[in-house]
């Protein structure tokens, strides 16, 4: 039952992972980061309604209290990761995600969420490492291999998916 709960909760995060990973090369997230690539760049981060934000912040506090008493409580780690991801607190979401990756090293949903979070934080090498773990877990999954290839191209500055070059 506990494993099913983790899978259900992290499926939301995994959906965000691959949407972000697939959009990332096209959006040029790491190119010209000081200038928005389009006029709607500020709209990319959804606004969280104040009542939802307050509720999620309350959940975060509750999960953190549980984790003070029981640091390896997987339900609290999953809940904390989910709430932090929904609040778009990328750095804070990494702490429980990385703990979960140690407890469940073969859980692909966790590694997907870590990869996406690393991308959001601009940690391309971290995203590559997490995606390499996904490829190792599921070597026949072509989607993971394609994403890894795109990430590595982005890391080397060789990204055929975008033709946006800086003016000389």
């Amino acid at each position: 039952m506990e494993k099913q709960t983790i899978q259900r909760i992290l499926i939301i995060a995994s959906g965000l992972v691959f949407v972000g990973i697939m959009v990332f090369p096209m959006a040029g997230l790491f190119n010209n980061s000081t200038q928005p690539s389009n006029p709607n760049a500020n709209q990319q981060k959804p606004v969280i309604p104040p009542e939802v934000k307050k509720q999620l912040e309350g959940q975060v506090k509750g999960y953190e209290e549980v984790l003070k008493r029981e640091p390896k409580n997987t339900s609290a780690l999953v809940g904390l990761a989910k709430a932090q991801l929904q609040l778009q607190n990328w750095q804070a979401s990494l702490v429980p995600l990385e703990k979960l990756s140690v407890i469940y090293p073969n859980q692909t949903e966790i590694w997907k969420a870590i990869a996406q979070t690393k991308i959001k934080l601009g940690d391309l090498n971290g995203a590559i490492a997490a995606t390499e773990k996904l490829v190792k877990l599921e070597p026949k999954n072509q989607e993971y291999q394609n994403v890894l290839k795109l990430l590595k191209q982005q890391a080397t500055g060789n990204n055929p998916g975008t033709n946006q070059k800086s003016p000389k």
Side-chain angles (χ1 to χ4, degrees):
M1 174 90 171
E2 188 173 294
K3 186 175 180 179
Q4 290 175 340
T5 302
I6 291 170
Q7 288 176 338
R8 276 186 270 161
I9 291 172
L10 290 177
I11 195 77
I12 294 168
S14 67
L16 291 172
V17 170
F18 276 96
V19 168
I21 288 175
M22 297 310 288
V23 169
F24 148 124
M26 293 178 274
L29 291 176
F30 298 108
N31 294 336
N32 302 324
S33 60
T34 58
Q35 300 175 353
S37 60
N38 70 53
N40 297 324
N42 292 335
Q43 295 176 1
Q44 291 179 352
K45 185 175 180 180
V47 177
I48 302 169
E51 61 277 0
V52 173
K53 184 175 181 178
K54 187 174 181 177
Q55 182 183 17
L56 289 170
E57 288 170 344
Q59 289 176 6
V60 166
K61 287 178 185 173
Y63 290 127
E64 287 173 342
E65 287 298 317
V66 170
L67 289 168
K68 284 179 187 174
R69 294 186 309 267
E70 304 172 54
K72 293 186 178 181
N73 183 314
T74 56
S75 295
L77 287 168
V78 169
L80 180 59
K82 180 181 175 187
Q84 294 289 25
L85 286 169
Q86 290 175 329
L87 285 166
Q88 301 172 19
N89 293 337
W90 310 125
Q91 190 66 46
S93 71
L94 273 180
V95 175
L97 286 171
E98 289 176 345
K99 287 180 181 179
L100 286 166
S101 75
V102 172
I103 296 168
Y104 300 105
N106 297 326
Q107 187 68 266
T108 57
E109 289 84 5
I110 295 169
W111 290 104
K112 289 177 194 177
I114 290 171
Q116 175 63 28
T117 302
K118 297 280 186 172
I119 288 169
K120 295 284 188 181
L121 291 170
D123 181 0
L124 197 53
N125 289 332
I128 289 170
T131 307
E132 285 174 337
K133 177 68 176 180
L134 284 168
V135 169
K136 186 182 264 188
L137 289 172
E138 295 186 19
K140 293 182 179 181
N141 187 318
Q142 191 62 44
E143 184 176 8
Y144 296 159
Q145 293 176 19
N146 291 340
V147 169
L148 181 59
K149 182 179 176 182
L150 289 171
L151 288 170
K152 287 182 175 181
Q153 288 173 343
Q154 188 74 27
T156 62
N158 179 19
N159 187 0
T162 61
N163 291 324
Q164 298 172 350
K165 301 275 183 185
S166 301
K168 293 185 182 179

